[in-house]
Amino acid sequence: MAIAINMPKLGLSMKEGMVAKWLKNEGDSIKKGETLLEVMTDKIANKIDAPQDGILLKIVAVKKAKLPIGGLLGVIGDAGEDINALLALAVKAAAVKSVAAAQPGTKTVSVAPGQKVRISPAARALAQENGLDYSQIIGSGPEGRIVREDVEKALTEQGQEQDERAALELVPYEGMRQVIGERMAQSWSIAPKVTHHVSVDVADFLELRANINSDRKENEKISVTDLLVKAVAKALVFHPRMNSTLAGEEIRVLQDIHIGVAIAVPDGLVVPVVKHADQKCLADISQEIRDFAKRARKNKLEPEELGGGTFTLTNLGGYGSVDYFTPIINQPESAILGIGRTVKRPVVVSEQIVIRPVMGLSLAFDHRVIDGAPAAEFLAQLLQLMEHPYKIFI
């Protein structure tokens, strides 16, 4: 019996998913539990498995298609089975949702799942060659048929035409890379951002870390990032306005302190969240971040672990090449702290010029929510904690 493969709900905050790639083709024999396709949600590639044995009769949602929860991805059943009734139900459901969501004057060009797209063979081939979702194109041919010229126009408008210059590598703009790009562009466009840069003497900060690690096993040592998460959480307790979000016409100063930690992975980055960081001991924070990093490299993080952040920390210090930078705010948060490298510089201590390790900090904040003065006060608090690190724990 034919059954629908629908977009599953893969996280509490998930509203839609994007087809990253199909691992099976139409007509392939499938065993229950085999992976059919990958769906991108919040920078995670989620594997969707076959719910039963059968034949993959129809792929409805092509690569890069975005579907709401419950949207039809494909159909699996017995060879030769009639699936028209199943597709018709999906078309009807999608049409009802489209009508409910449409605003007056909005022109809808997408095609409901299962609905046949009128497109010429040449246009179809060109679109598929360039990874273009042709169901979004308005055809200029007879009865709305999409012709090659329509596809060429769409490619030109999106800047996706093939570059004739020599290239070392052609990297598809898809999956995690595309999700990151879209979210960063969105954040940059909606948040009027200001960045404060400051240098901090971290001699005592690093000495404390060395003392803590002196009798710890190698796989249990506290990192600079671990200490910074604890310090930032403490500073947010004193300056809760930095722990805010803009929701419609309200600025919500949040009670819980959930700190996201940016972790680089081969295809981009992910930001798992240390929940209630202000209430956790340093050892627990360190163990949690270490676990996040290990599972991030294997794409094993859960969607819930990437959501709910109230403030983010991103550390580029380990690369040894960046003093200050302008981190992009992780929406819907209102601030992010960028950590630069630590280098030895001359500083004044007790009226004497001495050589000390100095770290660069870059605080970017949403000026709709936070003004420059409160942000500066937060940074001053953080500097106090880092220059006198015992205060982090009292």
Side-chain angles (χ1 to χ4, degrees):
M1 177 179 178
I3 63 171
I5 306 163
N6 297 317
M7 179 67 73
K9 186 174 178 63
L10 299 168
L12 295 176
S13 61
M14 175 184 170
K15 294 181 180 179
E16 67 174 11
M18 182 181 73
V19 177
K21 60 181 176 181
W22 281 88
L23 303 178
K24 300 293 183 179
N25 299 313
E26 286 187 5
D28 285 353
S29 296
I30 309 296
K31 293 292 185 182
K32 181 179 180 180
E34 275 192 276
T35 302
L36 293 175
L37 73 159
E38 292 183 355
V39 170
M40 289 297 303
T41 59
D42 204 10
K43 305 177 189 174
I44 293 181
N46 303 272
K47 294 181 178 180
I48 309 300
D49 297 334
Q52 68 175 30
D53 293 350
I55 304 295
L56 182 55
L57 299 175
K58 183 70 175 178
I59 291 176
V60 176
V62 297
K63 182 178 179 180
K64 294 188 178 181
K66 294 182 179 180
L67 275 73
I69 296 169
L72 184 61
L73 294 165
V75 179
I76 189 170
D78 297 327
E81 191 170 357
D82 186 358
I83 60 173
N84 289 328
L86 189 61
L87 294 177
L89 285 175
V91 171
K92 183 177 180 181
V96 170
K97 290 181 180 179
S98 297
V99 171
Q103 298 296 323
T106 300
K107 189 172 185 179
T108 303
V109 299
S110 59
V111 177
Q115 183 176 334
K116 186 176 180 180
V117 179
R118 296 180 60 83
I119 182 171
S120 72
R124 186 192 302 272
L126 180 61
Q128 292 177 342
E129 179 184 345
N130 289 276
L132 183 67
D133 182 4
Y134 53 78
S135 67
Q136 305 299 310
I137 300 176
I138 300 175
S140 62
E143 299 182 354
R145 182 183 176 91
I146 301 170
V147 296
R148 183 181 177 90
E149 288 74 13
D150 299 323
V151 175
E152 290 174 344
K153 180 180 178 182
L155 289 171
T156 300
E157 292 175 350
Q158 297 184 21
Q160 295 180 353
E161 286 185 306
Q162 294 290 336
D163 192 335
E164 297 299 330
R165 293 172 297 175
L168 292 174
E169 183 181 8
L170 295 176
V171 180
Y173 184 57
E174 60 186 25
M176 179 182 291
R177 184 74 269 150
Q178 185 176 16
V179 172
I180 292 172
E182 290 175 351
R183 295 196 173 185
M184 294 300 96
Q186 178 195 33
S187 178
W188 188 272
S189 65
I190 68 174
K193 179 169 54 4
V194 177
T195 307
H196 288 343
H197 302 289
V198 68
S199 298
V200 54
D201 182 342
V202 290
D204 293 342
F205 186 84
L206 296 179
E207 183 180 1
L208 173 65
R209 174 176 176 255
N211 290 335
I212 293 173
N213 287 334
S214 62
D215 58 352
R216 299 178 73 88
K217 297 178 182 179
E218 189 63 33
N219 63 349
E220 296 178 351
K221 292 188 181 297
I222 302 298
S223 71
V224 170
T225 298
D226 301 336
L227 264 175
L228 284 169
V229 167
K230 188 64 179 176
V232 167
K234 182 78 170 185
L236 288 173
V237 171
F238 290 106
H239 298 274
R241 191 62 177 268
M242 301 297 297
N243 200 55
S244 301
T245 186
L246 180 61
E249 297 181 353
E250 292 181 333
I251 295 174
R252 296 182 180 176
V253 181
L254 303 171
Q255 178 178 349
D256 296 326
I257 295 176
H258 301 331
I259 298 183
V261 180
I263 297 175
V265 294
D267 294 327
L269 61 87
V270 291
V271 187
V273 178
V274 179
K275 304 290 177 62
H276 304 289
D278 57 316
Q279 301 174 22
K280 292 180 177 177
C281 69
L282 181 60
D284 287 346
I285 290 173
S286 179
Q287 182 179 358
E288 193 167 338
I289 294 175
R290 191 181 301 113
D291 177 60
F292 282 154
K294 182 179 179 180
R295 289 190 290 119
R297 289 189 288 269
K298 297 178 181 179
N299 194 31
K300 297 295 184 180
L301 292 174
E302 299 295 332
E304 290 77 12
E305 294 174 317
L306 298 172
T310 62
F311 188 103
T312 292
L313 189 151
T314 176
N315 190 348
L316 295 181
Y319 296 97
S321 57
V322 178
D323 291 315
Y324 311 99
F325 59 105
T326 304
I328 299 179
I329 299 167
N330 192 13
Q331 295 292 328
E333 299 167 19
S334 295
I336 181 171
L337 182 70
I339 312 302
R341 64 177 179 170
T342 299
V343 294
K344 292 184 177 181
R345 301 188 189 279
V347 298
V348 177
V349 178
S350 301
E351 303 299 323
Q352 299 292 322
I353 297 177
V354 296
I355 304 299
R356 308 275 278 196
V358 174
M359 177 186 290
L361 302 180
S362 301
L363 176 68
F365 55 95
D366 186 341
H367 214 324
R368 297 174 302 172
V369 180
I370 303 166
D371 290 327
E377 291 172 353
F378 168 80
L379 265 182
Q381 179 73 61
L382 183 59
L383 294 183
Q384 277 288 313
L385 293 172
M386 295 180 68
E387 291 174 348
H388 308 282
Y390 68 90
K391 294 183 178 181
I392 298 172
F393 306 98
I394 60 175

